[in-house]
Structure formats: C-alpha cells, structure tokens
Amino acid sequence: MLAASTLLILATLAGYALLCALRPFAVCRKCSGTGLRDARRAMKLCRRCRGTRYRLRAGRRLHHHVRRLHTEGTRTRPTADKEQLPWQ
C-alpha cells in the first residue's frame, strides 16, 4: 500500500514537472484569463497578471528560483590577470 501511494505521488509530481516544462504559463485565476477586473466604475487591468491574461505556474517559479540559487552559488569569482599586476 505504501509503495503504491508513493508511486502515485511520484507520478503526479513528474506529470506536474512535465506540464511546467511544456506549458510554463497558465490562465490567470483572478481575472479568468480576460486581463481585466471589475472596478466600481470602470474596468481596470488585473493586478495579478498585469493584463497579460497569463501567470507563471508555481512549479516554474520554484524551478527559476532553484536555478538562480545554483548559478549564483557556483559562479566563478573574477581573478586578476598576471598582466595587470604591477609587480610582475
């Protein structure tokens, strides 16, 4: 039973990861994909999607964050060239 539920959870996560890779954007839930929201007197742009009608999926945001952390953590530090040192 534990193995079956673990397999189901892993399959769901793999499916969501594939979905985030193939379609990183989803329809905005706040404006239902219209890009506009009802104000008291006029229609205004949706604040969540900024009028684009789409939002970045949570899994894709997590992927970007982890990738940025990895890049910043493994970036090589610039070193002085031997030609620029005054004593050489």
Side-chain angles (χ1 to χ4, degrees), residues 56-87:
L56 198 58
R57 292 183 193 272
R60 194 63 177 196
R61 280 196 306 265
L62 178 66
H63 171 72
H64 285 178
H65 178 71
V66 169
R67 192 178 73 203
R68 190 178 313 118
L69 279 176
H70 175 70
T71 302
E72 290 174 358
T74 57
R75 187 176 301 158
T76 58
R77 305 248 183 226
T79 57
D81 294 330
K82 291 182 179 181
E83 300 169 2
Q84 295 177 351
L85 296 175
W87 57 83

Side-chain angles (χ1 to χ4, degrees), residues 4 8-9 11 14 16 19 21 24 41 46 57 65 68-69 80 82 88:
L8 181 65
I9 290 171
Y16 184 69
L19 178 67
R41 296 184 184 165
C46 176
R57 292 183 193 272
H65 178 71
R68 190 178 313 118
L69 279 176
K82 291 182 179 181
Q88 290 183 347

Side-chain angles (χ1 to χ4, degrees), residues 13-75:
L13 288 176
Y16 184 69
L18 183 64
L19 178 67
C20 286
L22 295 177
R23 297 188 60 169
F25 293 97
V27 175
C28 179
R29 293 183 305 239
K30 187 77 169 179
C31 64
S32 301
T34 62
L36 301 172
R37 64 178 179 85
D38 292 328
R40 294 189 192 273
R41 296 184 184 165
M43 299 292 281
K44 293 188 177 185
L45 288 178
C46 176
R47 282 188 254 169
R48 181 174 288 174
C49 67
R50 298 183 184 111
T52 62
R53 304 180 324 189
Y54 296 103
R55 62 173 179 82
L56 198 58
R57 292 183 193 272
R60 194 63 177 196
R61 280 196 306 265
L62 178 66
H63 171 72
H64 285 178
H65 178 71
V66 169
R67 192 178 73 203
R68 190 178 313 118
L69 279 176
H70 175 70
T71 302
E72 290 174 358
T74 57
R75 187 176 301 158

